[in-house]
Amino acid sequence: MNLEQALLVITNAHGNEIPVAGLEVAKKNWSEFYTELERVIDQFITNDSSLNDEQKAILFFGTLLLAELKYSPALPKCLQMFSRGDSFLTAIEDVFGDAVTELTPTLFYNVAYGNTQALSDYIVDGHQAMYCKASAMEAVFAQYEVGTIDKAELGEHVTLWLAAFLALPSETNSFLISALADYCLQYQLDDFKSQFTDLCDKDLFDEDRFSQDEVKAWDRADAPKLIESGTIETEFNLVDTLNSWAADDYPSSDDEFDVFDSLMGEGGLLSNILYDENTILEHSVPVSSLPTVGRNEPCPCGSGKKYKKCCLQ
């Protein structure tokens, strides 16, 4: 298979299909493939609504290959590409889906390759990326975790970020303040405790991301670090990751029927429920009363998980 054929395989991937053979050829012919990827990235940066489905496939798979190959020359393009709103129904979310929150920390960590200053500049820039700024912060904290930067340098970054978030109150910056407090606790940066606790009475925290009660408690000493927990993969494999996603998201139909039978069968917890018309009406909820929630937003059930990881499944 040559590169032209590999591009066809990648662009023709549908649904949860993973174009394994095409990705292998792309890696073997990386310089030529990156030229095509860079062209698509530039088009997206110029007009993020201009890509067709084939170009979106190249952008999705190609960008994640950057993380696998640790291709640091692409860092400026990546930061430009992710310098825009990234919540539900945005152009970034349309291309990358769950990867916006799940894989950008690994992408930024591996592509930055120790360039924490570039990540820090991205974080304090005035664009409206929310999840991706949080991912960039995670990438910097992970660099501290492996010893690329020391505590003093990390502290300088945190001071700069916090000042930037406080300078312009917004929902995005409330989310980022909460995320930053979480990371400082996770990495035991106790020098910032008083600054965050002083903010607790100013309604600046995103209670769904990290509440002011959690800030006041200031106790996450046992929380695993980002690399330790696997949130950031220093040795990232795109195909393995996507295969694991497919396995997690799509349980077998046999398993689903087994659960149903165990509940509804003789002696099951729900075996005596009669689904007659009156029962259905009594337990129905008007569609207009149901919450409208983006996949990356906190689940309305109150679990603390993202909607896509909870009741959306």
Side-chain angles (χ1 to χ4, degrees), residues 41-59:
I41 291 175
D42 286 338
Q43 181 177 333
F44 184 83
I45 291 170
T46 301
N47 183 352
D48 61 20
S49 63
S50 66
L51 302 190
N52 58 35
D53 289 343
E54 289 75 18
Q55 291 169 319
K56 290 176 184 179
I58 291 173
L59 188 60

Side-chain angles (χ1 to χ4, degrees), residues 61 100 130 158 180 254 266 302:
F61 290 110
V100 171
M130 181 169 72
V158 171
L180 183 56
D254 289 342
E266 184 177 352

Side-chain angles (χ1 to χ4, degrees), residues 16-68:
N16 294 298
E17 180 183 353
I18 303 171
V20 177
L23 294 174
E24 286 301 317
V25 173
K27 288 190 288 185
K28 291 176 182 177
N29 298 272
W30 178 250
S31 60
E32 294 89 347
F33 177 79
Y34 182 69
T35 298
E36 176 64 20
L37 173 60
E38 189 173 39
R39 186 187 66 78
V40 176
I41 291 175
D42 286 338
Q43 181 177 333
F44 184 83
I45 291 170
T46 301
N47 183 352
D48 61 20
S49 63
S50 66
L51 302 190
N52 58 35
D53 289 343
E54 289 75 18
Q55 291 169 319
K56 290 176 184 179
I58 291 173
L59 188 60
F60 175 82
F61 290 110
T63 299
L64 297 180
L65 280 180
L66 296 173
E68 179 174 329

Side-chain angles (χ1 to χ4, degrees), residues 25-197:
V25 173
K27 288 190 288 185
K28 291 176 182 177
N29 298 272
W30 178 250
S31 60
E32 294 89 347
F33 177 79
Y34 182 69
T35 298
E36 176 64 20
L37 173 60
E38 189 173 39
R39 186 187 66 78
V40 176
I41 291 175
D42 286 338
Q43 181 177 333
F44 184 83
I45 291 170
T46 301
N47 183 352
D48 61 20
S49 63
S50 66
L51 302 190
N52 58 35
D53 289 343
E54 289 75 18
Q55 291 169 319
K56 290 176 184 179
I58 291 173
L59 188 60
F60 175 82
F61 290 110
T63 299
L64 297 180
L65 280 180
L66 296 173
E68 179 174 329
L69 299 177
K70 302 182 180 180
Y71 193 67
S72 56
L75 179 61
K77 294 289 185 185
C78 282
L79 297 181
Q80 278 186 279
M81 178 169 57
F82 288 101
S83 294
R84 64 199 70 237
D86 54 9
S87 58
F88 186 55
L89 295 180
T90 58
I92 281 288
E93 197 271 344
D94 178 50
V95 173
F96 291 97
D98 288 350
V100 171
T101 54
E102 306 302 319
L103 297 183
T104 48
T106 291
L107 172 68
F108 288 149
Y109 177 89
N110 285 331
V111 176
Y113 211 66
N115 188 352
T116 57
Q117 188 58 55
L119 294 174
S120 188
D121 292 342
Y122 167 83
I123 291 163
V124 300
D125 200 0
H127 58 81
Q128 292 303 303
M130 181 169 72
Y131 297 115
C132 291
K133 281 189 176 183
S135 295
M137 286 194 290
E138 288 182 321
V140 175
F141 273 91
Q143 294 290 352
Y144 169 65
E145 183 177 343
V146 299
T148 303
I149 59 174
D150 59 21
K151 190 172 184 178
E153 187 173 350
L154 177 62
E156 291 175 2
H157 287 313
V158 171
T159 299
L160 182 64
W161 302 339
L162 185 56
F165 301 155
L166 291 172
L168 188 62
S170 66
E171 290 185 9
T172 294
N173 284 341
S174 291
F175 176 89
L176 293 170
I177 289 169
S178 293
L180 183 56
D182 186 7
Y183 305 145
C184 286
L185 261 169
Q186 191 173 1
Y187 284 85
Q188 301 174 45
L189 299 188
D190 294 337
D191 291 346
F192 291 93
K193 176 180 179 180
S194 62
Q195 294 183 54
F196 283 110
T197 53

